[in-house]
Amino acid sequence: MTVITMTGAASGGEVDWRQIDWASAHRTARRLQMRIAKAVREGRWGKVKALQWLLTHSWSGKVLAVKRVTENQGRRTPGVDGEIWDTPGKRARGTLSLRRRGYRPQPLRRVFIPKANGKLRPLGIPTMKDRAMQALHLLALEPVSESTADPNSYGFRPERASRDAAEQCFQALRQRVSGEWVLDADISGCFDNISHDWLIANIPVDKAMLRKWLESGFMQDGELFATEAGTPQGGIISPTLANMTLDGIERVLHERFAPSHPQRRKNKVNLIRYADDFVITGASKEVLDEAKVLVEGFLRRRGLSLSVEKTKIVHIEEGFDFLGWNVRKYNGKLLIKPAKKNVQTFLRRVRAIIRDARSAKQDHVIGRLNPVIRGWANYHRNQVAAETFQKVDHLIWKQLWQWACRRHPHKPLTWVKDRYFAREGTRNWVFRAEVQDDAGNSTFVRLVKAGDVPIRRHRKIRAEANPFDPAWDSYFAERRGLLMDRQGRNLPPKLWKVQAGVCPVCREMITVHSGWKIHHVVPRALGGTRARANLVLLHPNCYLQAHNDPWKGELAAPVERSFAEA
């Protein structure tokens, strides 16, 4: 067992990473965040600064920051020092290292990932310690950003998603009297060009820490380069900094085209923004030309500009692509469908998987394809996508049929069909494979079909909702339950509802994004069964904690009783 002796105000004795009281840590951080948000609403910026200092120097904030960077998707990606915090001991020592005094960030590790247009997008990957420091200060910055954000900004914000932006597009354009012209805008190199001076002068965060992150530079091919502008794509705090840089566009447009003014109501100006991609609706091209000038002036003060290549004004009957969807009116009826470019990109990925699996087993191909198909279909399930799903399923079937025939060029087609495709009920040509589990029992794995994903309209989040305002707690609790019912694949609904969606270890909500594991209160090795009364849903980290140090009887018993009562 790894025990680290903690000294100073942040702790008070010996602490084992596996024994941290996460429920207490979440409560402490949450209470400070709500106080910060309240101070922002009251305009008490001195109080905001004092509370941020408390949170960034608290033990609870530090352990939650380390927990975040060691559980997210990039937890196995090292920075320039090559280190990752993959053991309890490293995480405990990493928590000890989060001190403001003497802190100096290391340069970013520069890597490139392909973009949809064939170009490369640069990513700057901080070290684990720098990521944890950014996550710590993000805890203190998020209540401010959420309290001052544009109402119709949906990118990289808690409790919001791209489907909310799509629904807002629908609300702004669906009526016959809605604006018929759209400014489809994109900011040129947003993350790479934000003015450092503007960020330091306007972002309410520790200025010394922010300056160090912005000026840390990056390493590429063994050479150090300075960063004179921008905030790195890859840093945990970067999306929030970019959002706060762009917050205010909606206010500028509202002041100029105020809908309450009798003469300006006819302008029909609405803004829908997702990170640096945004659209503005208007009654005419002239109105949007004026709006474009206002936005360009707003961006210029922040060191940014609109992309000449991607920014255009279009009529709604012509349509436009936004976040992978095509928004267009057909004979006066607004439909939001998967964009052709998005479908083509998805099919290219599917073809690449099938092409790379020439000699692979059928169950391996299914295992590679299912997450890709399911994820793409779930992204589009809230729009008019049924017809597209059917077309995609047919094209995937054609690829799999060619893959099967190439493997057996001397066999009859009927033999190939019987070998790889089966009939189940009224459905023929089911691509499935028989596999055996560790006990020797045979089961079938089947290819997921996009057409089997039901189309369900999404209920947009309220524009003014703030997750750090306790007045909205019941609203978000209801909303999380709805999202889990609709998107929680393989989630045992009765378990989740009996627990009220709360993990009994850390007392935080179990959501689609947090993930979950099913834990046996009485281990099966000790005679525990799979009965519902012996099962409980935990976060992945809490699941590991429970298995490394099994729960005491006083914790397990109330959980078991609650399930028995249900």
Side-chain angles (χ1 to χ4, degrees):
M1 181 172 67
T2 303
V3 178
I4 302 295
T5 302
M6 312 299 295
T7 59
S11 60
E14 293 186 344
V15 174
D16 176 18
W17 181 262
R18 298 188 182 95
Q19 298 297 320
I20 292 175
D21 186 353
W22 293 110
S24 175
H26 280 290
R27 281 196 306 270
T28 301
R30 174 74 176 172
R31 184 170 61 249
L32 287 171
Q33 286 179 316
M34 289 191 294
R35 292 177 64 190
I36 292 171
K38 181 182 178 183
V40 173
R41 292 193 299 272
E42 296 172 350
R44 302 170 63 190
W45 291 101
K47 185 74 169 178
V48 170
K49 186 175 181 179
L51 291 170
Q52 286 181 324
W53 182 273
L54 282 177
L55 182 52
T56 55
H57 287 73
S58 68
W59 166 242
S60 298
K62 291 179 180 181
V63 295
L64 291 177
V66 173
K67 181 175 183 285
R68 175 170 181 172
V69 300
T70 54
E71 286 187 355
N72 60 17
Q73 291 184 349
R75 64 187 180 276
R76 302 186 187 278
T77 304
V80 293
D81 58 358
E83 292 185 4
I84 57 174
W85 295 348
D86 55 352
T87 65
K90 290 180 180 179
R91 293 170 185 174
R93 286 187 288 271
T95 305
L96 274 174
S97 70
L98 300 184
R99 298 191 183 95
R100 185 179 187 275
R101 179 176 295 180
Y103 170 71
R104 187 175 183 84
Q106 297 190 56
L108 307 168
R109 183 166 70 91
R110 175 62 64 92
V111 297
F112 295 89
I113 61 173
K115 298 170 64 175
N117 59 7
K119 298 181 181 180
L120 295 177
R121 183 191 304 276
L123 288 183
I125 302 177
T127 62
M128 292 297 296
K129 179 178 177 179
D130 294 336
R131 272 178 261 178
M133 286 295 285
Q134 290 187 19
L136 175 61
H137 286 266
L138 180 59
L139 284 173
L141 182 60
E142 259 189 342
V144 181
S145 66
E146 283 300 302
S147 301
T148 59
D150 283 346
N152 290 300
S153 165
Y154 300 98
F156 303 113
R157 293 180 59 188
E159 307 292 347
R160 300 188 180 218
S162 55
R163 53 185 174 269
D164 292 303
E167 184 61 22
Q168 180 61 22
C169 280
F170 183 80
Q171 296 295 336
L173 294 166
R174 66 187 177 91
Q175 297 180 357
R176 291 188 177 274
V177 295
S178 300
E180 296 183 342
W181 292 88
V182 178
L183 172 63
D184 181 13
D186 183 84
I187 300 173
S188 179
C190 178
F191 282 84
D192 299 327
N193 297 311
I194 301 175
S195 168
H196 284 180
D197 292 338
W198 190 94
L199 285 172
I200 293 171
N202 292 277
I203 301 298
V205 73
D206 191 317
K207 307 295 183 183
M209 299 294 291
L210 179 58
R211 187 182 295 276
K212 289 178 180 180
W213 291 326
L214 296 176
E215 298 176 355
S216 61
F218 64 90
M219 297 290 295
Q220 183 176 342
D221 299 328
E223 186 176 354
L224 177 63
F225 295 87
T227 48
E228 299 178 355
T231 177
Q233 296 187 58
I236 285 182
I237 203 171
S238 296
T240 302
L241 295 179
N243 263 336
M244 297 187 74
T245 303
L246 300 178
D247 284 334
I249 297 179
E250 192 166 357
R251 183 176 61 253
V252 169
L253 294 173
H254 187 271
E255 291 173 354
R256 174 62 186 86
F257 305 102
S260 58
H261 195 288
Q263 297 298 323
R264 296 175 180 175
R265 191 176 302 161
K266 60 183 180 181
N267 292 320
K268 303 173 184 177
V269 173
N270 295 281
L271 170 73
I272 303 100
R273 180 167 67 85
Y274 188 92
D276 59 339
D277 292 332
F278 63 91
V279 296
I280 302 174
T281 68
S284 66
K285 286 189 69 173
E286 291 73 24
V287 169
L288 292 182
D289 283 330
E290 185 178 355
K292 182 180 178 182
V293 173
L294 288 173
V295 172
E296 287 175 334
F298 177 92
L299 296 176
R300 195 178 303 115
R301 294 189 291 273
R302 291 153 173 77
L304 302 172
S305 62
L306 293 178
S307 170
V308 178
E309 176 187 350
K310 297 181 180 179
T311 301
K312 57 184 178 180
I313 297 176
V314 298
H315 195 274
I316 191 59
E317 296 286 347
E318 178 186 348
F320 62 94
D321 288 351
F322 185 55
L323 303 178
W325 294 299
N326 180 260
V327 185
R328 181 180 174 186
K329 272 189 175 180
Y330 298 82
N331 297 322
K333 183 176 182 179
L334 184 72
L335 299 180
I336 303 179
K337 302 180 179 181
K340 289 183 179 179
K341 289 183 179 179
N342 183 274
V343 175
Q344 290 169 356
T345 301
F346 165 69
L347 290 174
R348 279 197 297 269
R349 185 178 180 187
V350 169
R351 282 194 291 268
I353 292 174
I354 297 174
R355 183 176 60 249
D356 294 341
R358 292 188 182 94
S359 59
K361 294 183 178 180
Q362 187 179 4
D363 60 305
H364 173 78
V365 177
I366 294 174
R368 289 283 308 280
L369 287 177
N370 274 356
V372 176
I373 298 172
R374 187 182 292 113
W376 181 83
N378 284 337
Y379 182 80
H380 294 288
R381 67 184 302 175
N382 304 119
Q383 313 307 329
V384 184
E387 183 178 348
T388 304
F389 285 174
Q390 296 296 333
K391 292 180 179 178
V392 162
D393 284 336
H394 176 68
L395 293 173
I396 294 175
W397 170 84
K398 288 180 66 176
Q399 291 292 319
L400 291 173
W401 176 245
Q402 293 173 5
W403 171 85
C405 291
R406 279 197 302 267
R407 292 166 67 90
H408 307 281
H410 304 297
K411 292 288 187 179
L413 296 183
T414 54
W415 184 94
V416 175
K417 191 266 183 188
D418 293 338
R419 171 67 176 78
Y420 292 99
F421 298 88
R423 183 177 184 87
E424 293 185 352
T426 60
R427 175 172 290 179
N428 207 350
W429 295 91
V430 176
F431 192 72
R432 74 177 190 184
E434 185 177 2
V435 296
Q436 289 186 340
D437 57 20
D438 296 336
N441 301 318
S442 295
T443 58
F444 287 100
V445 291
R446 299 165 181 82
L447 184 73
V448 169
K449 296 179 73 69
D452 290 342
V453 176
I455 303 297
R456 293 179 176 176
R457 287 297 300 272
H458 174 67
R459 188 175 70 183
K460 189 185 81 69
I461 189 172
R462 293 184 186 176
E464 66 276 14
N466 185 344
F468 299 103
D469 184 347
W472 291 95
D473 284 350
S474 59
Y475 170 77
F476 282 112
E478 177 190 357
R479 186 172 177 81
R480 291 188 193 106
L482 179 64
L483 292 177
M484 290 296 284
D485 283 341
R486 290 190 172 185
Q487 299 186 12
R489 185 177 63 86
N490 295 335
L491 172 72
K494 291 185 179 179
L495 292 182
W496 192 84
K497 289 178 180 178
V498 166
Q499 297 174 210
V502 175
C503 172
V505 175
C506 67
R507 301 298 176 184
E508 288 296 301
M509 291 295 298
I510 297 174
T511 67
V512 175
H513 300 292
S514 70
W516 60 83
K517 291 278 190 179
I518 298 178
H519 173 72
H520 292 78
V521 177
V522 179
R524 296 184 64 191
L526 300 179
T529 67
R530 293 184 178 179
R532 184 154 54 91
N534 192 46
L535 301 178
V536 64
L537 289 176
L538 304 178
H539 289 124
N541 183 76
C542 299
Y543 177 84
L544 293 175
Q545 185 174 358
H547 277 255
N548 284 322
D549 183 41
W551 296 352
K552 297 179 181 179
E554 60 267 22
L555 176 62
V559 174
E560 188 170 1
R561 283 197 299 271
S562 66
F563 277 83
E565 293 168 359

